[in-house]
Amino acid sequence: MIEQKPLSLHIPEPAVRPGDKPDFHHLSIPQAGAVRRPPIDVPAHEIHDLAYSIIRVLDRQGEAVGPWAPGLDAEALKAGLRAMLKTRAYDARMMMAQRQGKTSFYMPCTGEEAVACGFQTALEKGDMNFPTYRQQGLLIAQDWSLVDMMCQVFSNAQDRLLGRQLPVLYSVRDAGFFSISGNLATQYVQAVGWAMASAISGDTRVAAAWVGEGSTAESDFHAALVFASVYRPPVILNVVNNQWAISSFQGVAGGENAPFAARAHGYGIPSLRVDGNDYLAVHAATAWAVERARRNLGATLIEWVTYRAGAHSSSDEPSRYRPKEESDAWPLGDPIERLKNHLIAGGDWSEARQTQLRAEIEEEVLAAAREAERHGTLHDGPKPSAATMFEGVYKEMPRHLREQRQAMGI
Amino acid sequence: MPRRTMVEAIRDALDVMMGRDSRVVVFGEDVGYFGGVFRATEGLQRKYGTSRCFDAPISEGGIIGVAVGMGAYGLRPVAEIQFADYMYPGYDQIVSEAARLRYRSAGEFTAPMVVRMPCGGGIFGGQTHSQSPEALFTHVCGLKTVIPSNPYDAKGLLIAAIEDDDPVIFLEPKRVYNGPFNGHHDQPVVPWARHPLGETPDGHYTVPLGEAAVRREGNAVTVLAYGTMVHVAEAAAAETGIDAEIIDLRTLVPLDVEAIERSVRKTGRCVILHEATRTSGFGAELSAQVQERCFYHLEAPILRVTGWDTPYPHAQEWDYFPGPERVGRALRTVLEA
């Protein structure tokens, strides 16, 4: 009889913990320009290799190289740089506002600005994003009003959501930005439904679904991929792999054995894996997927490889579960620095102009914050009335809610 | 007027609304080509095409999730969950999403959708083909919960639900799909063709959500019931000779409290019926409402006749199902108080 060793359970652990030297040797990073660009009608099974590589455009010298170089002009790139800088400055200001007690909560997207800002530039008016709480760049890239966003964060008298939602759970229909829910991954399958509706209606609009790598473990992720596979609706299925789900590294979501992009293979959905800190690669991959969707070729899954440089939220302290220096060691660098270097390499930009632009944006964000604060902050100044609390549960207020409102004397 | 079974009435409601409004789409497991395991969508795919009526993967979370997205787009999805017992994987989408979308987006996005689901016991369905989960919906703010007891109401309420701009949970007691059932399982099934409420007008009509119906006028005791239990109540009143006023609630949220109040103030007594389990069932809410609104008119404690606090058993179906005998006993008890 063969002696059997006792079984043991595999519990994934990150390579390093606080106090250790950052280590990203597990991440295999190809040269910029090394990954082919297939035709948009490519069958899913012919690009399986792309899920195990990383599409990159910007090389170490800041040159745009290879088949994915999108040929965006300098003005478009400067607009992207501006959007990313503004997103970062907005996050910094709102984190500070939270520390000052002006709101209860905030979530920055530091280090991930290129993903949302670059993505939005490939969409058209009428398309609909189904974002998570970390895609504020989708709004800022459209120059959506910072004051409007801040009023939501402050839950003040001008908050269009009437103080009903936690900070950062925006809803901006006019900007193609679906109402954010606290329940993770629920919007992923809703985006597929929205895209199905567009197809049923003979429309030309497309939807974009968003999820973090941690939430791919939710059952709605699977449901979304099944429905996207079955009905082939015009949807882009984004997975933002920032390596961390609060304190859990991506291995806890199943990322140790296969990239998240490879999840699409079992569903027969074409997928790409893309350098999420490369603004040009983000734009190019998005444009590829959007064109596929708009030509009725169905869904595309894109894994954006990036790093959550900031805390998960204002309630989180990353130094308790990962090295402090890890974000500096992230091999794909900083998206803003990389785009800036590209513009400088092309002779369209300079360090001096970058400094000037940053100062302008700081001023713009500060002015917006001052204006938003005039409408009140969470504990100070005007806020939505308690009577509005009972409105909008239903289209018409039913009797029991009228009675409850009256019981409050309002 | 044509006579229809409840299944036929539901199918007719879907047909009427698909014909009137191109935004209405019908989907779920087996609802397309096959026409549904209960035949409720038979012929709709042939008539309206595959993009208006189609089969869905076996994924309740997916079915309800895509319905929310379709509603946000501007369609009017009518999703089917094959049995109410299987709605749980879609519960997050119902509670956290469909029910709250209007509120959390301050009206920017809405979920004008209907989720149909066959419910209730009395068919030897065992634990997972018999449940009555209405209390899990009535507790959720933002949802409307509807449960018809007959073909006329089923058609009118379903049309009203599809036209409603809020998400509606539409529970269909499958025991009364083909004929009224009063709990006498040992007697032959009566078809809807011989029941006045089997008469359903052709074309469009509605039964407004939020309005109860008095099924039997009486002065001795008010019986609050819905779904299959309405027929059980009628049998119990006839067999005991008790002059009960039987109210078919039809919509649980929003609740027609005026109709309840009017009746209990007249009779001074109240018995509440449902198939669902007792503890924290919808009967508890009804009992509390009656107590709060009619305390000084009550002559006896409010009684509830419900399913037991157990999973729905198979072999013990008729010991579990609250039949006319148990209801009759409760009627006598409140009259003797």
Side-chain angles (χ1 to χ4, degrees):
Chain A
M1 212 170 83
I2 301 165
E3 190 81 1
Q4 293 288 334
K5 285 186 190 163
L7 297 166
S8 66
L9 190 67
H10 173 68
I11 306 293
E13 271 296 321
V16 294
R17 285 296 192 185
D20 298 337
K21 195 170 171 315
D23 178 6
F24 286 106
H25 76 268
H26 63 274
L27 188 69
S28 163
I29 300 169
Q31 293 287 319
V35 177
R36 69 199 159 100
R37 185 181 187 279
I40 58 157
D41 59 351
V42 69
H45 67 266
E46 286 182 15
I47 55 166
H48 280 186
D49 56 312
L50 268 60
Y52 291 84
S53 192
I54 301 179
I55 293 168
R56 307 178 67 226
V57 170
L58 294 174
D59 68 11
R60 281 173 186 281
Q61 287 73 43
E63 300 289 341
V65 296
W68 288 92
L72 286 174
D73 64 29
E75 287 316 303
L77 294 177
K78 284 182 210 169
L81 187 63
R82 186 181 177 86
M84 290 197 288
L85 278 168
K86 203 158 130 182
T87 303
R88 188 163 294 182
Y90 172 74
D91 279 347
R93 175 61 50 184
M94 291 297 95
M95 281 295 271
M96 192 193 300
Q98 191 277 335
R99 300 296 185 227
Q100 292 167 338
K102 291 171 181 168
T103 186
S104 61
F105 183 72
Y106 191 73
M107 304 181 96
C109 68
T110 313
E112 302 173 39
E113 293 90 348
V115 176
C117 293
F119 189 90
Q120 183 60 43
T121 59
L123 292 184
E124 288 176 12
K125 184 134 188 79
D127 296 337
M128 185 64 71
N129 279 296
F130 286 73
T132 77
Y133 44 69
R134 223 184 292 280
Q135 276 84 48
Q136 50 267 56
L138 296 171
L139 289 172
I140 294 172
Q142 296 179 71
D143 271 327
W144 188 257
S145 159
L146 291 187
V147 176
D148 181 73
M149 294 170 72
M150 289 168 170
C151 287
Q152 196 280 329
V153 171
F154 293 145
S155 289
N156 65 19
Q158 292 294 308
D159 174 11
R160 286 182 301 102
L161 305 186
L162 303 166
R164 292 171 184 167
Q165 275 277 54
L166 265 183
V168 314
L169 303 186
Y170 312 103
S171 175
V172 190
R173 192 184 177 98
D174 288 346
F177 191 98
F178 184 73
S179 158
I180 301 174
S181 170
N183 296 65
L184 298 177
T186 51
Q187 79 289 346
Y188 216 60
V189 67
Q190 293 163 6
V192 174
W194 195 98
M196 287 168 66
S198 181
I200 288 167
S201 308
D203 201 346
T204 58
R205 294 182 284 162
V206 308
W210 292 88
V211 78
E213 92 287 346
S215 302
T216 61
E218 293 280 6
S219 57
D220 280 342
F221 177 76
H222 164 68
L225 265 63
V226 171
F227 280 69
S229 169
V230 170
Y231 302 110
R232 301 180 197 171
V235 64
I236 298 100
L237 301 161
N238 296 289
V239 177
V240 182
N241 178 5
N242 67 12
Q243 316 300 318
W244 291 95
I246 309 186
S247 73
S248 300
F249 89 116
Q250 47 88 22
V252 176
E256 269 186 342
N257 305 322
F260 295 93
R263 304 289 190 269
H265 293 169
Y267 303 85
I269 295 172
S271 74
L272 308 174
R273 191 158 181 253
V274 182
D275 181 344
N277 290 13
D278 180 338
Y279 184 89
L280 276 69
V282 172
H283 174 85
T286 307
W288 190 86
V290 168
E291 193 184 347
R292 270 181 48 76
R294 223 176 300 273
R295 290 206 191 168
N296 214 31
L297 294 167
T300 307
L301 187 142
I302 307 177
E303 177 186 348
W304 306 104
V305 182
T306 183
Y307 184 84
R308 196 196 77 209
H312 165 69
S313 75
S314 57
S315 306
D316 177 45
E317 178 46 66
S319 65
R320 294 177 62 185
Y321 51 80
R322 69 184 193 190
K324 273 193 172 127
E325 314 77 24
E326 197 176 77
S327 76
D328 295 333
W330 173 242
L332 296 177
D334 179 278
I336 293 175
E337 284 299 303
R338 287 175 65 193
L339 182 56
K340 180 197 77 178
N341 291 341
H342 171 64
L343 279 164
I344 291 173
D348 295 303
W349 201 242
S350 66
E351 289 290 354
R353 290 179 71 180
Q354 180 81 355
T355 307
Q356 189 192 352
L357 177 61
R358 197 183 290 124
E360 277 171 33
I361 285 169
E362 293 285 349
E363 193 49 48
E364 185 185 340
V365 171
L366 185 61
R370 287 195 182 118
E371 188 183 337
E373 286 176 30
R374 274 203 293 278
H375 301 300
T377 56
L378 182 60
H379 302 295
D380 197 12
K383 64 168 135 183
S385 81
T388 64
M389 183 166 71
F390 297 94
E391 294 163 4
V393 180
Y394 299 90
K395 187 177 186 188
E396 316 286 347
M397 192 181 298
R399 175 181 159 147
H400 67 282
L401 282 176
R402 280 203 313 277
E403 287 180 353
Q404 288 170 31
R405 189 185 63 186
Q406 284 156 7
M408 282 189 72
I410 47 180
Chain B
M1 218 185 318
R3 302 263 173 155
R4 288 182 172 89
T5 68
M6 195 152 135
V7 171
E8 289 164 347
I10 287 163
R11 185 192 309 145
D12 194 41
L14 295 170
D15 191 357
V16 166
M17 287 312 294
M18 291 177 86
R20 281 168 71 98
D21 187 345
S22 63
R23 298 171 302 170
V24 177
V25 291
V26 172
F27 63 100
E29 296 157 21
D30 304 297
V31 309
Y33 182 84
F34 181 58
V37 294
F38 291 106
R39 322 308 305 151
T41 57
E42 192 167 33
L44 296 177
Q45 185 177 77
R46 202 163 49 245
K47 187 167 176 184
Y48 295 101
T50 51
S51 69
R52 298 281 308 283
C53 177
F54 53 88
D55 293 323
I58 302 173
S59 169
E60 290 74 18
I63 289 168
I64 295 169
V66 298
V68 173
M70 289 177 180
Y73 176 91
L75 297 187
R76 295 202 164 244
V78 183
E80 177 181 305
I81 298 300
Q82 203 158 74
F83 288 87
D85 315 59
Y86 299 131
M87 67 83 187
Y88 303 102
Y91 197 56
D92 188 30
Q93 286 286 347
I94 292 174
V95 176
S96 310
E97 303 296 319
R100 295 204 214 127
L101 187 54
R102 177 189 295 280
Y103 190 74
R104 76 172 195 231
S105 71
E108 278 199 334
F109 297 95
T110 59
M113 57 191 271
V114 178
V115 184
R116 294 180 40 242
M117 47 182 104
C119 70
I123 57 147
F124 282 97
Q127 294 189 21
T128 56
H129 298 79
S130 307
Q131 294 170 30
S132 297
E134 65 270 13
L136 297 177
F137 301 117
T138 57
H139 188 57
V140 178
C141 50
L143 294 181
K144 294 180 178 175
T145 302
V146 175
I147 177 163
S149 67
N150 61 73
Y152 179 88
D153 283 358
K155 180 175 172 184
L157 286 166
L158 183 52
I159 291 176
I162 295 170
E163 290 178 340
D164 198 281
D165 290 323
D166 292 311
V168 179
I169 303 297
F170 197 82
L171 293 158
E172 302 168 2
K174 56 190 168 295
R175 181 59 228 225
V176 296
Y177 264 160
N178 295 310
F181 176 66
N182 62 15
H184 286 296
H185 51 93
D186 44 356
Q187 293 172 7
V189 177
V190 182
W192 280 114
R194 284 196 262 130
H195 193 286
L197 289 169
E199 288 189 353
T200 56
D202 286 330
H204 180 277
Y205 71 93
T206 60
V207 172
L209 305 188
E211 285 186 18
V214 178
R215 293 294 171 214
R216 182 192 189 283
E217 290 195 14
N219 290 302
V221 50
T222 297
V223 177
L224 303 180
Y226 49 88
T228 306
M229 292 305 289
V230 172
H231 306 285
V232 177
E234 286 174 338
E239 288 156 23
T240 56
I242 290 170
D243 187 24
E245 177 145 299
I246 300 170
I247 298 183
D248 180 352
L249 295 173
R250 303 198 288 199
T251 304
L252 305 188
V253 176
L255 183 66
D256 189 350
V257 287
E258 281 103 340
I260 295 169
E261 216 173 307
R262 206 160 43 233
S263 180
V264 177
R265 286 179 178 218
K266 177 177 74 175
T267 64
R269 291 174 164 83
C270 183
V271 172
I272 295 162
L273 313 182
H274 59 62
E275 291 180 59
T277 51
R278 184 181 187 82
T279 301
S280 302
F282 190 63
E285 173 64 24
L286 290 171
S287 178
Q289 293 275 353
V290 169
Q291 188 273 140
E292 284 169 9
R293 292 172 191 278
C294 310
F295 183 76
Y296 295 105
H297 294 79
L298 284 174
E299 308 282 344
I302 304 158
L303 289 191
R304 287 177 286 162
V305 184
T306 69
W308 308 121
D309 281 340
T310 69
Y312 205 112
H314 186 241
Q316 303 89 343
E317 173 98 70
W318 306 118
D319 298 304
Y320 181 92
F321 184 90
E325 199 187 309
R326 267 170 68 196
V327 174
R329 241 183 353 253
L331 294 178
R332 283 195 205 92
T333 306
V334 290
L335 284 182
E336 285 159 11

